[in-house]
Amino acid sequence: MDILKQISESLQKGDHEKVAMLTSQAIEEKIPVKKILDEGLIAGMNVVGEEFKHHRIFLPSVLLAARAMYAGMDLIKPLMIRDNIPTIGKVVIGTIKGDLHDIGKNLVGIMLKGAGFEVIDLGNDVTPDRFVQAAKDEKADAVGMSALLTTTMTGMKDVIELMKSEGIYGKIKVIIGGAPVNREFAEQIGADSYAYDGMKAVEILKEYVKDK
Ligand code: B1M
């Protein structure tokens, strides 16, 4: 079987050791990192999401899959981050309050670092106060918010409202992402942009800092 398919299937089974072993093998075989990520790890996680949605698997299996995802991501992370590149801008990122999903946000952070950004990662379950305080303290160029739940995505607007009352809205760009959000939602809440994935986030933020 194709090694990427094996990564995907091992991730679905929550077998973190096998995912790590196969990911190392794929790296040795010089399979491009993006391919390992998209067709192996993310493909597997998408199946897990569908199975979970249709109640064919339950939360413990999703947790095991997440652990397996990280086992693979840890190995490809160094390949996604180039060393000793000058910082081109500073981004504060985090997953919104009430939301514990951090795999996608971490991936976006890795890609931003790889592109030369300094990334201040606030983790998950981040309150509006923490986003705004960090953006001010760090003199960030942008705030990046991630949400994976329809119940938490609305919290992004609270961050933007707080940025307005603190006088930093318009000065510090806001970029949002995550499965339940889209461009329309970004416009609706006053975010500067929406990125479908890490690559798009890099592209958009590079444009912003270029104009500074
Ligand atoms: Co949960 N979960 N989960 N979960 N989980 C989803 C999101 C869900 C869609 C599953 C489903 O039903 N099909 C569903 C949400 C339904 C909804 O709101 N409409 C769901 C649910 C319901 C829940 C719980 C409520 C379950 C429960 O307790 N009953 C619970 C909530 C806990 C909480 O947050 N308070 C819960 C818990 C968990 C785990 C902890 C078990 C685990 C998370 C572990 C972790 O993150 N450390 C988990 C997981 C793994 C998932 C699925 C299966 C996979 C998410 C993931 O990591 N995908 C997910 C189903 C799915 O998404 N298909 C699901 C891979 C990742 C690379 O993709 O995060 O989308 P993603 O990131 C992408 C893009 O979205 C984008 O770029 C990334 C790279 O391409 N992106 C950005 C993300 N952030 C960005 C920011 C940007 C730009 C782009 O700029 C700043």
Side-chain angles (χ1 to χ4, degrees):
M1 200 200 300
D2 169 32
I3 189 166
L4 299 177
K5 200 148 188 255
Q6 287 184 57
I7 292 177
S8 163
E9 291 195 354
S10 305
L11 186 143
Q12 290 166 48
K13 290 183 194 142
D15 189 340
H16 67 103
E17 283 171 356
K18 197 151 181 206
V19 168
M21 192 263 286
L22 290 165
T23 304
S24 300
Q25 196 183 321
I27 293 168
E28 273 165 34
E29 288 177 17
K30 305 249 179 297
I31 298 177
V33 169
K34 187 165 183 333
K35 218 169 146 78
I36 302 175
L37 197 56
D38 289 347
E39 295 174 33
L41 299 169
I42 293 182
M45 194 52 108
N46 284 341
V47 177
V48 170
E50 279 304 298
E51 293 291 289
F52 181 56
K53 186 167 137 191
H54 295 105
H55 311 291
R56 290 192 284 265
I57 60 166
F58 301 98
L59 216 49
S61 306
V62 185
L63 272 172
L64 290 177
R67 183 170 65 161
M69 177 98 189
Y70 272 122
M73 266 168 64
D74 284 348
L75 292 166
I76 56 176
K77 189 171 159 181
L79 305 177
M80 294 171 78
I81 304 174
R82 283 167 294 149
D83 287 330
N84 300 324
I85 32 175
T87 309
I88 58 171
K90 204 186 251 192
V91 189
V92 165
I93 62 167
T95 307
I96 205 76
K97 183 170 179 278
D99 203 323
L100 303 178
H101 297 86
D102 61 4
I103 296 173
K105 180 268 298 169
N106 287 344
L107 256 181
V108 173
I110 291 168
M111 291 178 115
L112 287 171
K113 277 186 196 156
F117 284 93
E118 184 179 348
V119 176
I120 313 295
D121 189 344
L122 303 178
N124 56 17
D125 193 16
V126 182
T127 58
D129 271 351
R130 285 187 59 218
F131 269 116
V132 171
Q133 198 57 51
K136 288 202 301 196
D137 290 350
E138 298 289 344
K139 298 188 174 45
D141 297 296
V143 169
M145 293 183 268
S146 178
L148 263 288
L149 297 170
T150 44
T151 48
T152 56
M153 60 192 258
T154 48
M156 291 173 161
K157 190 169 180 346
D158 299 338
V159 177
I160 290 172
E161 291 308 317
L162 188 58
M163 287 178 78
K164 284 181 184 165
S165 61
E166 293 287 315
I168 56 170
Y169 180 71
K171 295 178 186 150
I172 298 176
K173 297 283 185 186
V174 179
I175 180 167
I176 66 165
V181 306
N182 55 30
R183 191 174 317 268
E184 288 70 41
F185 179 70
E187 276 168 21
Q188 208 180 305
I189 63 169
D192 294 284
S193 48
Y194 155 75
Y196 169 76
D197 61 12
M199 295 253 280
K200 192 70 196 167
V202 166
E203 195 184 305
I204 293 169
L205 289 168
K206 270 185 163 174
E207 269 309 303
Y208 284 155
V209 292
K210 199 177 81 188
D211 297 340
K212 279 199 94 173

